[in-house]
DNA sequence: ACTAGCAGAGAAAGCGCTTACCGAAGCGGC
DNA sequence: GCCGCTTCGGTAAGCGCTTTCTCTGCTAGT
């Protein structure tokens, strides 16, 4: 029943004693300090550290140095492939730079998002990356901006993913353009009677896609009547229910565009459950190109985003390691990530 | 071009001054210290903190207290739905306890796993959770165990997910039993000529599933000849290629079991590309019940694991907050998470 | 009225690390 | 052969916080 008698981890002090050198020398030997250390000493310190199983206490190091090696990543839902792909990119890029990633989940709840940002500040992360933020129109928008500005004022960097959130750095996903291109391509395939399963109106990413799609249709003289726009939850079930609603309305459509793939999967499922074979009577398209959509039947037409790159890019933007040299000044950033329309079986030529 | 003159974040010192109290009082006012503080003072401190936008520096707190609020989670691949679901569970459970989660990705690389564990120790996490560890048979196994034991000796807790890794705490997934039950169910449906797309032999989870499945078949008098066991990568493409290999061998099978769903999706795809309609000529089954498999055609027969619960459970096991009261002693743990066989369209009765 | 006792604020000693700063050697130049 | 310079260990002062301990100022008991 007694707690296991646990010695505490070795400290730098222990290492110094073991190696028979001073604290300072030990410290200098272990982190590539600017000052040189006699190689023989260094060797001894390194060996002593090894023998003792010593690892630098990052916290202590952080307080001494006044700066950390932490990156904070906020996502709406880590189990959603959109976000987990982004996370993968961030984590990989971070580990290349010796940074450690802390992930928090906001569940698309603005209050929780704000709370989380506040809590995360306690970690004094170097960088804070927000994906799937609900900044728009929320009552919390202003507070969030203030919080983030204050974070930047105290030396942090913030990067947003997807939505332009000036004055903060942004990896801009061209949701508008991607959706417009998709609409143009689909119109080119002969689709005319279109419905959209849109996301919640306060998610900007969703709205941008809707707007872009509308614009693309308009270029082909197709109008999207308001009653053909159904707002639903940004989930598979949201797509499913939105589709049921659409079908119940009796509208006759030849194409359903869901503003993300997760919803589109729900659309396909709902159509099928209603006895409609997607891709024959009604075309279906999504957005994101998550892995699943290649594997469902019919494979889904969608817009590809290089999600992992996006995550990686966000980190680099914030740490100033952006790859394409050039104009990485303060206001760098909102240079959009290219997007690609992918036509698959779910939208055959009509 | 000049760096933005950034003031550093407010410190407790600033707050104390602003509130006109001592450092000690400020500290006590802000964290529910054991000692009481005059309510009027406390109020003043809290307000001052608010005014200054102060958040406790967790690092400094950690070094002063000698303990952190960090949980380290190692997964093989965060973009894999299996792991991202587990991660979601861990993160949610952690945030309920005020803990912060750091995620690292090992890419199923034993060397990298070891390095990562070492690096993560620098954070002095309270808990380290390993999912998809490649402990088995790897040359690094012993080193990893040593590293983890030493971590526990210095006050940390480690929890493994899935594979029993005594002496460490484990959320045991009954891979063996789940696969056996599945085999029994499938045999009951009339399948006889079975092939298995197995995982890499050094991943224990994969082997357990293979063994359990074999056992289940044996109970029905079905033997699984070695040449019907194809080892492949634990990915969709692994499943795809494994299936190609199987088909090329000319074996006549009526069922393919892939030891996880991600691979099973590849199996379905490969069969289809070979002109075989999965579920008619050949049945397909997977394991995990990731969301995707409900949505492909035919929907996949699989074994469900409550992945989010598993993650949550792992954290609770390690922090000692396990829910089912009872025997949460030191050696608690390897009480398996229940598993459920789910028969879907991919394995109709023959 | 006087002392015992306690509540609670503040001073100060760390926590494990980094990094000026100091001072002892070792070196070459004249 | 002496002096100034460089090189490089060590000493000690923090970093921002917690917590023990001291000490003041009450309340209360007789």
């Amino acid at each position: 029943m007694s707690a296991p008698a646990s010695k505490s981890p070795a400290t730098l002090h222990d290492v110094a004693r073991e190696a028979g050198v001073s604290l300072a020398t030990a410290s200098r030997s272990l982190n590539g300090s600017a000052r040189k250390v006699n190689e023989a000493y260094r060797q001894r310190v390194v060996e002593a550290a090894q023998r003792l199983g010593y690892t630098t206490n990052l916290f202590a190091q952080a307080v001494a140095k006044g700066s950390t090696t932490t990156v904070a990543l906020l996502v709406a839902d880590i189990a959603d492939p959109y976000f987990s792909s982004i996370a993968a990119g961030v984590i990989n890029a971070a580990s290349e730079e010796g940074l450690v990633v802390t992930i928090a989940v906001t569940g698309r709840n603005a209050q929780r998002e704000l709370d989380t940002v506040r809590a995360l500040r306690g970690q004094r992360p170097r960088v804070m990356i927000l994906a799937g933020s609900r900044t728009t129109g929320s009552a919390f928008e202003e507070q969030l901006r203030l919080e983030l500005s204050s974070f930047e004022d105290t030396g942090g960097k913030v990067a947003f993913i997807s939505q332009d959130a000036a004055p903060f750095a942004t990896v801009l996903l061209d949701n508008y353009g991607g959706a417009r291109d998709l609409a143009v391509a689909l119109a080119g395939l002969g689709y005319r009677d279109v419905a959209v399963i849109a996301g919640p109106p306060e998610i900007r990413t969703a709205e941008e896609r809707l707007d872009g799609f509308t614009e693309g249709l308009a270029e082909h003289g197709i109008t999207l009547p308001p009653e053909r726009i159904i707002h639903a939850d940004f989930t598979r079930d949201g797509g499913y229910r939105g589709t049921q609603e659409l079908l119940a309305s009796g509208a006759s459509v030849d194409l359903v565009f869901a503003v993300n793939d997760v919803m589109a999967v729900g659309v396909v499922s709902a159509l099928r459950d209603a006895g409609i074979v997607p891709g024959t009577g009604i075309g279906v398209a999504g957005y994101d190109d998550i892995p699943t959509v290649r594997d469902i039947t019919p494979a889904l037409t969608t817009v590809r985003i290089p999600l992992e790159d996006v995550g990686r890019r966000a980190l680099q933007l914030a740490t100033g390691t952006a790859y394409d040299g050039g104009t990485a000044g303060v206001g760098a950033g909102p240079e959009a990530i290219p997007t690609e329309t992918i036509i698959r079986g779910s939208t055959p030529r009509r």
Side-chain angles (χ1 to χ4, degrees), chain A residues 75-88:
Chain A
V75 297
D77 174 8
I78 188 67
D80 181 322
Y82 175 82
F83 294 109
S84 63
S85 298
I86 289 176

Side-chain angles (χ1 to χ4, degrees), chain A residues 287-342:
Chain A
Y287 202 113
D288 287 342
D289 198 30
I290 63 174
T292 296
V293 301
R294 277 196 311 173
D295 289 314
I296 66 174
T297 310
L300 223 57
T301 288
T302 189
V303 177
R304 157 182 288 274
I305 315 173
L307 257 6
E308 258 202 66
D309 282 352
V310 167
R312 153 165 254 114
R313 185 60 187 262
L315 183 72
Q316 292 170 326
L317 192 62
T319 57
T321 342
Y323 22 51
D324 53 9
T327 53
V330 172
E335 152 209 356
I337 297 282
T339 237
E340 183 188 353
T341 301
I342 300 189

Side-chain angles (χ1 to χ4, degrees), chain A residues 50-90:
Chain A
Q50 186 119 332
R51 222 171 311 134
L52 267 45
Y54 171 81
T55 12
T56 304
N57 182 328
L58 288 183
F59 283 13
Q61 179 167 284
V63 24
K65 283 199 172 176
S67 85
T68 67
T69 56
T70 304
V71 171
L73 173 63
L74 272 84
V75 297
D77 174 8
I78 188 67
D80 181 322
Y82 175 82
F83 294 109
S84 63
S85 298
I86 289 176
V90 172

Side-chain angles (χ1 to χ4, degrees), chain A residues 92-335:
Chain A
N92 289 333
S95 85
E96 282 163 21
E97 298 187 35
L99 301 173
V100 149
V101 179
T102 286
I103 298 195
V105 170
T106 64
R108 304 190 194 284
N109 174 314
Q111 170 74 64
R112 189 163 163 195
E113 183 175 343
L114 183 57
D115 292 346
T116 307
V117 167
R118 293 209 168 117
L120 251 23
R121 282 193 68 187
Q123 293 214 72
R124 304 287 185 270
R126 266 236 244 295
V127 171
M128 218 143 130
I129 297 177
L130 286 84
S133 164
R134 197 165 193 150
T135 350
T136 297
S138 134
F140 298 93
E141 177 170 4
E142 196 49 32
Q143 288 186 63
L144 184 61
R145 294 185 100 79
L146 278 175
E147 193 71 32
L148 292 174
S149 295
S150 141
F151 174 64
E152 288 209 317
D153 286 348
T154 56
K157 288 294 291 171
V158 354
F160 272 78
I161 284 175
S162 181
Q163 44 191 260
D164 184 7
F168 304 109
T170 301
V171 175
L172 222 192
L173 302 187
D174 187 5
N175 292 304
Y176 186 90
R180 193 196 42 214
D181 292 351
L182 176 65
V184 168
L186 291 172
L189 287 174
Y191 291 95
R192 288 292 174 273
D193 297 314
V194 182
V196 175
I197 310 293
E202 68 281 13
I203 293 187
R204 197 184 296 178
T205 296
E207 289 298 286
E208 288 171 355
R209 292 177 184 178
L210 172 58
D211 293 347
F213 197 77
T214 308
E215 161 67 17
L217 292 179
E219 287 174 14
H220 276 254
I222 303 171
T223 58
L224 185 61
E227 70 275 14
R228 293 281 186 81
I229 299 175
I230 298 186
H231 288 277
D233 215 31
F234 231 22
T235 62
R236 177 189 184 283
D237 286 353
Y240 190 96
R241 280 195 291 269
T243 306
Q244 286 183 320
E245 196 180 316
L246 177 68
L247 295 174
S249 78
S252 107
V253 301
D254 59 12
L255 175 69
V256 179
F257 167 55
V259 297
N260 78 5
D261 279 345
V262 174
M263 294 174 91
V265 168
V267 171
V268 166
S269 175
L271 289 179
R272 187 161 274 140
D273 287 355
I276 301 169
V277 178
T280 58
I282 300 184
V284 180
Y287 202 113
D288 287 342
D289 198 30
I290 63 174
T292 296
V293 301
R294 277 196 311 173
D295 289 314
I296 66 174
T297 310
L300 223 57
T301 288
T302 189
V303 177
R304 157 182 288 274
I305 315 173
L307 257 6
E308 258 202 66
D309 282 352
V310 167
R312 153 165 254 114
R313 185 60 187 262
L315 183 72
Q316 292 170 326
L317 192 62
T319 57
T321 342
Y323 22 51
D324 53 9
T327 53
V330 172
E335 152 209 356

